[in-house]
Amino acid sequence: MIRIDQIWLAVQPLDMRAGPDKALARVVQVFGAAHPHHTYLFANGIIDIL
């Protein structure tokens, strides 16, 4: 089982074609750091995919 302590929802959209490196860079840019056992949710531009 994957342990999740906190879930963070970003209000700015993220291109869903972005790879893991770009997604991690956006997490650091928006939230300041990536923490273990935290989940970061981004929506696409029209907010129909999380």
Side-chain angles (χ1 to χ4, degrees):
M1 181 175 293
I2 298 173
R3 179 178 135 199
I4 299 173
D5 293 335
Q6 290 187 350
I7 299 174
W8 298 81
L9 178 61
V11 295
Q12 297 176 339
L14 176 68
D15 184 357
M16 292 296 145
R17 298 171 292 180
D21 294 333
K22 186 172 183 177
L24 178 59
R26 179 62 69 92
V27 165
V28 172
Q29 176 188 9
V30 172
F31 298 106
H35 302 284
H37 307 293
H38 288 203
T39 299
Y40 302 93
L41 296 176
F42 289 88
N44 65 350
I46 56 175
I47 310 174
D48 65 348
I49 298 174
L50 286 178

